[in-house]
Each structure stands twice: as C-alpha cells, then as structure tokens.
Amino acid sequence: MSVLTRVGPAGRQAREAIAHDLPLGQIIEQDCVAAMAALPADSIDMIFADPPYNLQLGGNLFRPEGGLVDACDDDWDKFATFAAYDEFTRAWLKEARRILKPNGSLWVIGSYHNIFRVGTALQDEGFWILNDIIWRKSNPMPNFRGTRFTNAHETLIWASRGEDSRYTFNYRAMKALNDELQMRSDWLLPICSGGERVKDAGIKAHPTQKPESLLYRILLACTNKGDVVLDPFFGTGTTGAVARRLGRQWIGIEREKRYVRVARERIDSTLELDESAMKTMASKRTAPRVPFGTLVEIGLIVPGTVVTDAKGRWHAVVHADGTLEINGEQGSIHRIGALVQDAPACNGWTFWHVPDGDRMEPLDTLRQRYVLTLD
C-alpha cells in the first residue's frame, strides 16, 4: 500500500513551517543523539540508520597469501560492553522516534553482531516492525580462516513509528522495479566496490560504505519526492547522494570530520534526475481514475482494434465509445469479459490484451503508461 496523508491548508502551512526550521541539505557535525535532540518533533519522513556494528574484532585478520584484510577497527565502532552499546542504541532510537512524523518510518541495517540487540531496543521504544530485509551480497568477502560460514548477508529492519502509522510504501513502483513481480524480502545486490567506492587520497574512505543501489531501493519504496530523509550515521554520504538523485530532501549527522569532507564533495557532484524521469508507477489508491474510453479518445487504442484474452480464446472489437462487441453483445470491457467467461464479474483491464510486437500485453499496461504522463 502507499498511503499519503491528506492535509488541509493549515496542515500544509504547519509542515512548511517545520521544514523551514530544518537544516535541509546539510551535514551536522555532532554526536547523533545530541544532534537529533535539537531537531523539531514530528518533522522527518524517513530515517535510514547504519549504526556502529560493535564488531569487537580481536587482532588483525590476514588473507591466505599474507595480505592484511582492511576491516573495520575504527574507534567509533568500539564499545566497552554490550550494556554500553545497548544504552547508546536506546538513546538514539528514542530521539529517532520523537522526530519522526506520525506516519514516518525507520530503516536500520546491521549484522549478526548487533541487529538482534537493535531489534529488541527498537520494539521496546514503541516502533512497529514491518519487515526484516535480507541484503544478500552477490560478491561477499570470503571467510579467510575457513572457521565459519562466509558472512554473505546483512539484515535491515523496516519499522513504522507505531502500530497505527499510515506509512508510505510504493508497492507498484517496487513491483515495476522487479520486472512486474512482487518484491521479496531478500535482495541480491553487490557490495560497494570499484568506481562507486569513495576514496580519500587514493585510500578507501570508509570501511563499511553501503552501495547506492541499496539506498535507491529503500528511498524509492518508502518516500516520495520532497520528503525529508535523515541519516544519523552519515559516513561518506550515500544516503544524501541518492536522496539528491531522487529529489528527496536530506539531513546528515556525522561527527567524524574526515567523513564529512568527502561526503560533501560526493553529494555536490551528484546530479538530480530530470523531472520527467522521476515519475514512478502510481499506487492504485493514489492513481487517477482512467476509464477505458479515455485510451480510445487519446488514440492509444484505435476503434476497430481487436482485443483478446491472454490465451486467444475470445476476440472482441473496440468501438469508438470505448465499448467492446462480441457475437452481437456490446458493453464495457468488464461486462464483456464477465459475459464470455460466464462469470459474475471480471477485471477487463487485466483480462483483455492487445498485440505488442510479437507478444500480447494487458490493457492495464497501456493505462499505466498513460498515467505516467499525467502530472
């Protein structure tokens, strides 16, 4: 479902006032808990969080040929105890829930080191878990010691602010992205590598940089153009770069100065997609109602066109008024579809097909193409 809250003039003015007070398009160089505490309540549409994983690595890790593995051993990922990590997690989650809009949502990513602790804290704070997503890495780093299974995935938790939140989920856009198949909760995507990897003076800038494809899918699924996205662990700015491409507002929080610098350079060089390319498949709830006759009026369907069911069992002729005729019976695409099947009802949009080169496509595909041309 995709739920867009309708607000009156007063509500729009209130939202605009809150947005005016936000540091949009800026990186706040501060501890994330303190920075979020300074933001207005109910002001953020979505939060993407990539918190420290608390890897607790003991000693260096070497490849079989003797090369040192460039793993995460930075101070920001180190906590004295699990209790200290839990306290930190509860603190940032509490502020995250306060600043989220009532219909906002949170995404948090982690590994087996931390995601279960984060999930517990998240539920304790009142968030409502919607999905856990498995990011299956197509090119994971192998387990060099051969003592465990290769760590080939990370887990994301998607949660709304509360059980009754009318969160945004652009279901049809996700289905379109996935070749018209319903998007599953296991995502096969490569890790960040090659030219996408941000470097500083020729050296990898961040040990756990996330791929832009991952953020692209998340933002496309759960935000709309103009929404405000906050990343409290901004790193090298993947969230900001993808948000800018997709026309979303963004705010980053990052205390490490070396990351802030490269993030700003990266985002400044990112170009927003052309307005015409920003249109996505509308949800059934928000899409304008388009009668079949409209497609005839604008010439997408020419009167006299013969439409058939997917298996070619029935053939009907399209008339100038948008009705179909078969064996002397005339009526709407739905009525005639039900008639030939001797059924009580029929969705004519998906039942009737028209030729498209060497294949047949449902009328609904033509309707969706037309919808994408509307403002």
Side-chain angles (χ1 to χ4, degrees):
M1 82 183 151
S2 176
V3 184
L4 303 179
T5 305
R6 290 179 172 82
V7 295
R12 282 194 294 270
Q13 291 174 3
R15 287 179 60 180
E16 291 172 359
I18 292 175
H20 182 72
D21 293 334
L22 293 173
L24 300 177
Q26 297 182 38
I27 306 174
I28 305 171
E29 298 184 49
Q30 196 176 4
D31 173 79
C32 69
V33 178
M36 284 192 285
L39 296 176
D42 305 335
S43 60
I44 305 297
D45 293 290
M46 195 196 84
I47 295 173
F48 174 80
D50 184 8
Y53 285 12
N54 194 26
L55 297 177
Q56 304 290 335
L57 295 178
N60 292 326
L61 179 61
F62 294 92
R63 293 181 172 84
E65 78 282 1
L68 179 67
V69 176
D70 189 10
C72 180
D73 58 358
D74 297 83
D75 289 340
W76 52 259
D77 193 57
K78 297 176 181 177
F79 293 82
T81 62
F82 285 128
Y85 185 80
D86 292 344
E87 181 180 2
F88 165 72
T89 300
R90 288 191 295 269
W92 75 258
L93 281 173
K94 181 178 180 179
E95 289 301 330
R97 191 166 185 270
R98 182 187 67 82
I99 62 177
L100 269 179
K101 294 178 181 178
N103 295 327
S105 64
L106 166 79
W107 284 78
V108 58
I109 187 170
S111 67
Y112 70 87
H113 302 88
N114 71 321
I115 196 64
F116 305 109
R117 310 187 78 88
V118 172
T120 297
L122 186 148
Q123 289 181 307
D124 289 344
E125 286 298 326
F127 287 94
W128 186 257
I129 294 180
L130 301 169
N131 272 119
D132 65 328
I133 302 292
I134 300 300
W135 166 31
R136 191 157 57 94
K137 303 173 182 179
S138 60
N139 52 342
M141 180 182 295
N143 184 279
F144 292 108
R145 291 175 177 170
T147 56
R148 304 183 189 181
F149 296 108
T150 295
N151 292 325
H153 79 276
E154 293 184 31
T155 302
L156 298 105
I157 297 176
W158 174 36
S160 58
R161 200 178 89 161
E163 182 177 0
D164 299 326
S165 296
R166 294 171 61 84
Y167 56 90
T168 294
F169 178 41
N170 297 315
Y171 168 78
R172 289 184 66 79
M174 288 295 97
K175 190 174 180 181
L177 194 67
N178 196 39
D179 284 342
E180 289 303 317
L181 296 175
Q182 188 178 69
M183 184 76 75
R184 293 161 40 123
S185 61
D186 54 333
W187 298 354
L188 180 63
L189 297 168
I191 63 174
C192 183
S193 61
E196 185 184 340
R197 172 67 72 175
V198 177
K199 295 184 178 180
D200 185 21
I203 301 173
K204 184 168 66 174
H206 196 288
T208 62
Q209 180 183 335
K210 297 301 179 289
E212 291 193 4
S213 59
L214 183 68
L215 271 298
Y216 187 99
R217 185 172 296 186
I218 291 170
L219 266 62
L220 198 65
C222 298
T223 64
N224 295 296
K225 195 174 189 303
D227 281 357
V228 179
V229 180
L230 171 74
D231 186 335
F233 307 96
F234 203 58
T236 54
T238 301
T239 301
V242 176
R244 183 170 183 177
R245 280 176 61 198
L246 292 176
R248 276 61 169 166
Q249 303 280 3
W250 61 270
I251 302 170
I253 301 173
E254 179 54 58
R255 70 182 188 184
E256 302 290 329
K257 292 186 179 298
R258 66 185 188 280
Y259 296 155
V260 171
R261 176 173 51 79
V262 295
R264 283 181 174 143
E265 294 174 357
R266 177 185 184 185
I267 296 170
D268 286 344
S269 65
T270 300
L271 298 177
E272 183 174 342
L273 292 177
D274 183 80
E275 184 71 27
S276 62
M278 288 293 298
K279 294 180 180 178
T280 58
M281 190 75 77
S283 73
K284 291 183 178 179
R285 294 192 180 193
T286 60
R289 184 178 179 275
V290 177
F292 177 65
T294 298
L295 304 188
V296 177
E297 288 176 328
I298 65 174
L300 273 179
I301 299 287
V302 179
T305 297
V306 175
V307 297
T308 70
D309 64 292
K311 295 182 178 180
R313 294 167 294 180
W314 297 287
H315 298 73
V317 178
V318 178
H319 286 283
D321 60 357
T323 59
L324 301 187
E325 182 180 355
I326 186 170
N327 298 331
E329 292 286 345
Q330 190 171 348
S332 71
I333 58 174
H334 312 297
R335 178 179 174 275
I336 298 301
L339 178 69
V340 298
Q341 299 178 88
D342 194 22
C346 170
N347 182 351
W349 288 109
T350 56
F351 179 74
W352 295 110
H353 290 62
V354 291
D356 178 26
D358 296 332
R359 62 190 182 93
M360 304 295 289
E361 64 179 6
L363 295 177
D364 193 48
T365 300
L366 294 181
R367 175 172 61 166
Q368 291 302 328
R369 289 176 187 166
Y370 172 66
V371 168
L372 289 174
T373 68
L374 302 177
D375 291 330

